[in-house]
Amino acid sequence: MAAKASLKIKGKGKGSSKGSSSSSSSSSVSSKYKVFKAWTNWSLEKAKVATHYGFIPLIIIIGMNSDPKPDLFQLLSPV
């Protein structure tokens, strides 16, 4: 079963803007900015998780493909 990615924009403003006299182009730019900000935050969170869980395996793979071909135990030992 595939997981669905959902983007929810949390409001940080004061109340609703029903009484404001802003133009539709201004609100369109604002909504585009909110969507861009939400996608940026979502992608950075996913990149953070991928980096967190993928860094050590990447180092092991790079070490195993190096020229002297160390054993896995030699690669993982601190000495």
Side-chain angles (χ1 to χ4, degrees):
M1 190 162 107
K4 289 186 179 179
S6 64
L7 296 175
K8 295 181 182 177
I9 300 174
K10 296 179 182 177
K12 293 185 180 179
K14 295 179 183 177
S16 63
S17 61
K18 290 181 181 178
S20 65
S21 61
S22 62
S23 65
S24 64
S25 65
S26 175
S27 64
S28 173
V29 170
S30 176
S31 66
K32 288 180 183 178
Y33 173 73
K34 286 180 182 180
V35 169
F36 177 74
K37 185 177 178 183
W39 273 102
T40 303
N41 288 339
W42 179 82
S43 61
L44 288 176
E45 286 180 18
K46 298 300 177 187
K48 180 180 167 184
V49 171
T51 303
H52 179 79
Y53 288 109
F55 183 73
I56 298 299
L58 177 68
I59 297 301
I60 292 171
I61 289 170
I62 290 172
M64 292 296 283
N65 292 331
S66 64
D67 195 25
K69 294 286 184 193
D71 294 329
L72 186 61
F73 178 75
Q74 290 174 335
L75 191 63
L76 297 177
S77 68
V79 179

